[in-house]
Every structure is written in structure tokens, then in C-alpha cells.
Amino acid sequence: MKYNGMRLSEAYDLVKKRKSNVGPNAGFFRQCIELDKKLVLSSGGKYPDDKAIEIERYLAKQLVDTGGMFSTHAKSGKITVDDVYKDLKSNGCDIQATQMKFMNLLFSS
């Protein structure tokens, strides 16, 4: 990102194109988001902008869309990316709490 003048969204898409099952962990992805923010602000830009990636949206997609633990339930419509996103946003990205909440919902229904 730094040396090629890329935004996180562009760098992530490039890596995903070359290795489709890429899934950086939350800690690394937070660091990437911070770097993206730092690079934008240091060049006089505003952050967040239309290319900014929210950690909550990324994690929700990882859990639901990309073979994460909720992917089979997502296909049935029981869990959506937006449901998981809203929960992560409200609990400060506590992945374990979100996983427990949705697992409990699935098993209680």
C-alpha cells in the first residue's frame, strides 16, 4: 500500500485476485485500516471516504460470505451480513460475542 500508492481496498482486491481464499485476521486487518487512514490523511485527503473499508463490514463478510462459521446459515437466509455487521458495530468488534449470540439464536430456533 505504502510503496505502490494503493488504498486498502485496492490492495485487498489485488491479493484476493491472486489468492481467492485470503482472509487476514482481525488484528492484521485493523492495522491495515490504520495504515490506509494514515496514508490518506498524510496526503491531504479526508477519511473515511468511499474507498475506506470498515473493520465491522469486513469481519461480517468474513463470517458470513466467505466460508466462515455462518456461511451455511446465510444461504438459508437465517443470518445476513447486515445482521452480523450491526452486531459487531454495536459491540466494538467483539467477534466471540457475536459468534456466541448468533450460535445461540441458531440453536434456539
Side-chain angles (χ1 to χ4, degrees), residues 47-97:
Y47 197 92
D49 60 9
D50 61 335
K51 289 187 178 183
I53 296 177
E54 291 178 279
I55 186 71
E56 297 88 356
R57 180 71 60 191
Y58 168 78
L59 291 172
K61 288 185 76 56
Q62 288 295 107
L63 289 169
V64 177
D65 282 351
T66 58
M69 71 180 303
F70 301 134
S71 60
T72 55
H73 302 290
K75 290 175 186 163
S76 67
K78 291 181 181 178
I79 296 176
T80 67
V81 171
D82 279 339
D83 294 335
V84 176
Y85 166 74
K86 288 174 187 170
D87 193 66
L88 287 167
K89 192 101 172 141
S90 71
N91 71 19
C93 270
D94 186 336
I95 298 169
Q96 287 183 320

Side-chain angles (χ1 to χ4, degrees), residues 11-25 28 58 62 66:
Y12 181 77
D13 289 344
L14 177 66
V15 172
K16 188 97 174 151
K17 190 171 154 182
R18 295 192 177 149
K19 187 175 182 335
S20 62
N21 66 341
V22 68
N25 69 42
F28 175 72
Y58 168 78
Q62 288 295 107
T66 58

